[in-house]
Amino acid sequence: MPPRKLDQEKLRSALDGQLVALDQPAYDGPASALPDALVAAVLAAYDRGRKPERDAARQAVRHLLDRLATAAPGRTVEVRVPPYAAVQAIAGPRHTRGTPPNVVEMDGRTWIELALGRLTWAEALASGAVSASGARADLSAHLPL
């Protein structure tokens, strides 16, 4: 399944909202860098001990989940980051109905830090920041993105 098409207007709006909340000027860079700038702004909010703007966090999480689904296509593992988004990824036996046998779930901050390599899979599991069930619910080979 191809990744979702990013809506540039929504990304820019979410990014500018997050930048305003951080007392920074609006984004004036290229459209191609919007997703990464948004992820950086959300991470900056976390680093400052602030809760990121909801739309900014949602867009950042979705962008990074889409990158995982593109880098590791398949339907063996469902990766959930409630309340923002979920994707199916990793090649292997396909899940078709009911609760998938391989599920990984975490919060938005944990997902962003894992995706960017600021947190390792082992650290996230050991701290309880990630819930992983199923024989194939291990993302360590696919992280950081």
Side-chain angles (χ1 to χ4, degrees):
M1 182 159 46
R4 291 174 267 247
K5 176 82 171 138
L6 297 174
D7 183 326
Q8 299 294 317
E9 302 266 335
K10 287 182 180 178
L11 283 175
R12 185 174 296 276
S13 176
L15 174 55
D16 286 343
Q18 184 62 64
L19 291 172
V20 166
L22 293 169
D23 298 321
Q24 295 182 1
Y27 180 74
D28 65 354
S32 62
L34 272 169
D36 292 331
L38 179 59
V39 170
V42 169
L43 200 52
Y46 283 129
D47 288 346
R48 292 182 187 183
R50 295 182 176 178
K51 185 176 178 181
E53 298 296 305
R54 183 175 171 83
D55 194 42
R58 181 175 57 84
Q59 295 284 347
V61 165
R62 282 186 175 179
H63 166 65
L64 293 172
L65 284 172
D66 285 346
R67 284 185 50 196
L68 172 67
T70 299
R75 293 180 164 251
T76 299
V77 179
E78 185 165 292
V79 182
R80 299 175 181 167
V81 183
Y84 304 119
V87 296
Q88 291 184 351
I90 318 297
R94 182 177 177 179
H95 156 73
T96 57
R97 295 173 56 154
T99 301
N102 301 288
V103 176
V104 175
E105 190 167 322
M106 68 203 83
D107 64 22
R109 181 178 189 160
T110 301
W111 171 241
I112 291 170
E113 289 183 345
L114 280 168
L116 298 180
R118 290 180 60 170
L119 180 65
T120 68
W121 181 253
E123 291 167 341
L125 282 175
S127 70
V130 169
S131 168
S133 63
R136 296 175 180 261
D138 181 349
L139 301 180
S140 61
H142 308 284
L143 297 170
L145 297 176

